[in-house]
Amino acid sequence: MNLSVVGTGYVGLVSGACFAELGNQVTCVDIDEEKIEGLRNGVMPIYEPDLEEIVERNYESGNLEFTTSLAEGVNNSDVIFIAVGTPSQEDGGADLSAVKAVAKVIAETMDEYKIIVDKSTVPVGTGDWVEEFIADNKVSDCDFDVVSCPEFLREGSAVSDTMHPDRVVIGTNDSKPAKILDELHQDFEAPILHTDRYSAEIIKYAANAFLATKISFINEIANICEAAGGNVEEVAAGIGSDHRISDKFLRAGVGFGGACFPKDTKAIVKTAAEHGYDFKVVNSVVEVNEQQKETMVNKLKTLLPNLTGKTISVLGLAFKPNTDDMREAPSRTVIKQLLEAGAEVKAHDPIAMDEAKEVFGDKIEYCETTEETITDTEAVLLVTEWDKFQDLDLEEVKDLLNKPIFIDGRNCYELEEMEEAGFIYHSVGRPTISADDLAATREVAAVTG
Ligand code: NAD
């Protein structure tokens, strides 16, 4: 099938490449000239496991093309996917300006039947707007259908998620586009769910809001464990083994970030408000998440009340492992708090250093290795659980640090190993290892020989 994908970001590039890999002829369109030029020269704009190989293979075979001309994309395709960004506006609502800009060009250029598929995450009713706008502004007397096909891929495993989705949602009441899109998606071997367009639009927000709710819920349970005693990992195992709850998304941490959960939770609250409904649960989810991002530095301050002039190391900057995405990353809050408290920051991320430089500029020191980051700092804060940070040589870390203070925002280490290694160790929702604990352990060790 001939397809175009408009917006060559995480969703557009991965979807376009995967559709090409399955034998379709795909034109990826973006307004960013540098990105398109780079892709034509083999430069990937994002990091995703396996993506580079698929893009390279399909670009070379001619299945995948890159252009800045949306008109070219429209002319080359039967199905046009809209995969542009829909970032948060000041008021929390989704900014639909890119979607509207794309709809305008489609109306001006299409001259035969097209299926316009919205893959961007958009508020309920956006499909109606696109349909009415194109109907009112199209220059050619041709037919078209607008379908909502929300995307559920996760950054860090985007290719695998796209190739093996849990489900494909096709939101339309019309049988013609539904049949064509069924055919297009059959190679993914995933269940296909047919819904009306409104429901498909809501499904995406409801899915993200629900997952975000699980995260904020377990983070609050972690906070209760810290205050009252208990270990959130044991609690999570205890509740997660109930199949009605499931053990997914029950890892306590420093809060969620990224391009989706923060903006989508705010947007569904806004949409609800526009329809006269106060979405209290998700409103609280957002509030809890903001507070959670501050817990690491708050814990550090209980150990080092005056951070002025002290150098602190931060491991992990991307919002999660296996991505270079810094959007709404908890590291942004952590580093902002540290700088506001007068601390100096040394930081390292395996992949997101360039993106981090755009965010923090010259306010922090960027280090090439974990060892360089930790050397001569007063404490280490582990913010993103990249594999390499889960397997540190703890003896070496302790030797490099000025004080053995380790704040773990992702529960990467066992309490026993941290105690044995001699760290003052604060994690999330688990007992802390304090200087007194260490002293007591040593006394016991001294007595027992
Ligand atoms: P992104 O910012 O990575 O990419 C968007 C791309 O659209 C950019 O390259 C930008 O230059 C391009 N663009 C903007 N206006 C354009 C225009 N008028 N014409 C052509 N290109 C244009 O965004 P993303 O992360 O891929 O997200 C895209 C959509 O998919 C959003 O609605 C997002 O919520 C949704 N989504 C994202 C993810 C994810 O994990 N990133 C997952 C599921 C759904």
Side-chain angles (χ1 to χ4, degrees):
M1 220 175 271
N2 291 329
L3 316 174
S4 60
V5 183
V6 190
T8 310
Y10 283 89
V11 169
L13 181 57
V14 174
S15 308
C18 291
F19 276 129
E21 180 82 353
L22 293 174
N24 298 287
Q25 181 64 45
V26 182
T27 308
C28 281
V29 184
D30 205 287
I31 42 167
D32 185 334
E33 288 179 13
E34 208 180 313
K35 191 180 265 189
I36 293 299
E37 196 48 38
L39 280 162
R40 285 178 174 153
N41 290 302
V43 181
M44 297 297 292
I46 52 167
Y47 172 76
E48 272 299 327
D50 301 329
L51 182 60
E52 191 163 0
E53 295 82 346
I54 297 183
V55 168
E56 202 177 282
R57 189 163 50 240
N58 287 281
Y59 185 61
E60 272 169 20
S61 74
N63 272 6
L64 188 59
E65 287 171 43
F66 298 104
T67 179
T68 53
S69 163
L70 178 50
E72 190 185 321
V74 171
N75 289 332
N76 284 352
S77 54
D78 311 309
V79 181
I80 304 161
F81 285 92
I82 302 179
V84 294
T86 49
S88 276
Q89 299 183 127
E90 284 268 301
D91 63 3
D95 177 352
L96 296 176
S97 52
V99 173
K100 291 180 177 177
V102 173
K104 184 168 182 289
V105 181
I106 295 174
E108 286 164 1
T109 43
M110 67 176 193
D111 57 4
E112 56 181 355
Y113 176 73
K114 304 283 176 195
I115 300 175
I116 297 144
V117 184
D118 180 38
K119 241 185 194 312
S120 295
T121 303
V122 292
V124 54
T126 303
D128 287 0
W129 185 92
V130 171
E131 186 172 283
E132 279 162 30
F133 181 86
I134 295 180
D136 291 347
N137 293 280
K138 65 189 164 103
V139 290
S140 165
D141 186 25
C142 57
D143 211 357
F144 69 98
D145 281 300
V146 175
V147 180
S148 167
C149 233
E151 178 57 60
F152 300 99
L153 65 76
R154 295 161 301 172
E155 288 178 25
S157 53
V159 169
S160 158
D161 288 350
T162 303
M163 286 303 204
H164 313 285
D166 287 344
R167 77 303 206 185
V168 172
V169 174
I170 298 179
T172 172
N173 289 333
D174 296 306
S175 57
K176 181 177 172 181
K179 200 159 163 268
I180 294 171
L181 292 175
D182 268 2
E183 198 188 314
L184 177 64
H185 288 95
Q186 70 189 5
D187 289 337
F188 292 115
E189 291 177 3
I192 294 182
L193 187 65
H194 291 276
T195 70
D196 64 79
R197 201 163 60 201
Y198 292 148
S199 301
E201 290 169 333
I202 294 174
I203 282 170
K204 175 63 195 177
Y205 283 105
N208 276 359
F210 188 78
L211 293 170
T213 302
K214 277 190 99 172
I215 298 173
S216 278
F217 179 85
I218 200 67
N219 283 339
E220 289 217 282
I221 294 290
N223 295 339
I224 294 168
C225 286
E226 283 176 23
N231 181 326
V232 72
E233 290 186 338
E234 290 174 13
V235 177
I239 61 174
S241 52
D242 183 330
H243 68 269
R244 293 168 304 175
I245 296 173
S246 116
D247 57 359
K248 306 282 187 312
F249 275 75
L250 285 183
R251 279 201 68 174
V254 64
F256 58 78
C260 294
F261 287 178
K263 87 172 168 61
D264 293 348
T265 43
K266 285 178 204 142
I268 195 168
V269 167
K270 177 77 179 13
T271 301
E274 282 168 2
H275 289 81
Y277 188 76
D278 180 9
F279 200 162
K280 292 192 187 75
V281 170
V282 178
N283 226 336
S284 301
V285 166
V286 173
E287 200 183 318
V288 167
N289 194 53
E290 291 311 309
Q291 283 169 18
Q292 194 67 17
K293 290 180 186 173
E294 296 179 358
T295 52
M296 290 183 80
V297 175
N298 293 344
K299 285 171 187 166
L300 178 66
K301 283 180 177 168
T302 64
L303 301 167
L304 299 174
N306 182 5
L307 287 171
T308 308
K310 301 222 165 55
T311 306
I312 307 298
S313 43
V314 172
L315 298 182
L317 299 168
F319 86 92
K320 66 174 183 179
N322 298 324
T323 178
D324 56 358
D325 199 339
M326 289 286 301
R327 289 178 282 188
E328 306 262 356
S331 68
R332 296 169 88 121
T333 305
V334 168
I335 289 178
K336 183 167 174 274
Q337 273 179 293
L338 289 172
L339 295 175
E340 280 172 2
E344 313 272 328
V345 176
K346 289 170 77 180
H348 173 64
D349 188 281
I351 299 282
M353 295 296 264
D354 289 342
E355 285 66 23
K357 283 175 188 163
E358 283 179 24
V359 174
F360 305 116
D362 58 6
K363 293 193 192 112
I364 66 171
E365 184 182 335
Y366 302 93
C367 301
E368 291 299 318
T369 63
T370 309
E371 294 71 27
E372 187 193 338
T373 317
I374 292 168
T375 299
D376 269 341
T377 60
E378 304 302 306
V380 58
L381 272 52
L382 198 170
V383 182
T384 314
E385 69 277 34
W386 286 93
D387 281 350
K388 67 187 269 189
F389 300 144
Q390 300 201 39
D391 192 24
L392 297 171
D393 178 338
L394 295 174
E395 284 302 323
E396 188 189 16
V397 171
K398 203 176 137 223
D399 285 348
L400 295 172
L401 281 166
N402 291 344
K403 293 192 177 69
I405 298 177
F406 197 121
I407 313 282
D408 182 354
R410 302 293 180 182
N411 290 353
C412 291
Y413 290 93
E414 297 299 329
L415 299 174
E416 296 74 25
E417 67 180 328
M418 295 309 271
E419 185 160 8
E420 205 171 302
F423 281 102
I424 296 169
Y425 180 62
H426 287 233
S427 51
V428 185
R430 305 188 300 174
T432 57
I433 300 169
S434 65
D436 290 347
D437 295 329
L438 293 177
T441 311
R442 293 211 170 97
E443 270 165 36
V444 172
V447 172
T448 55

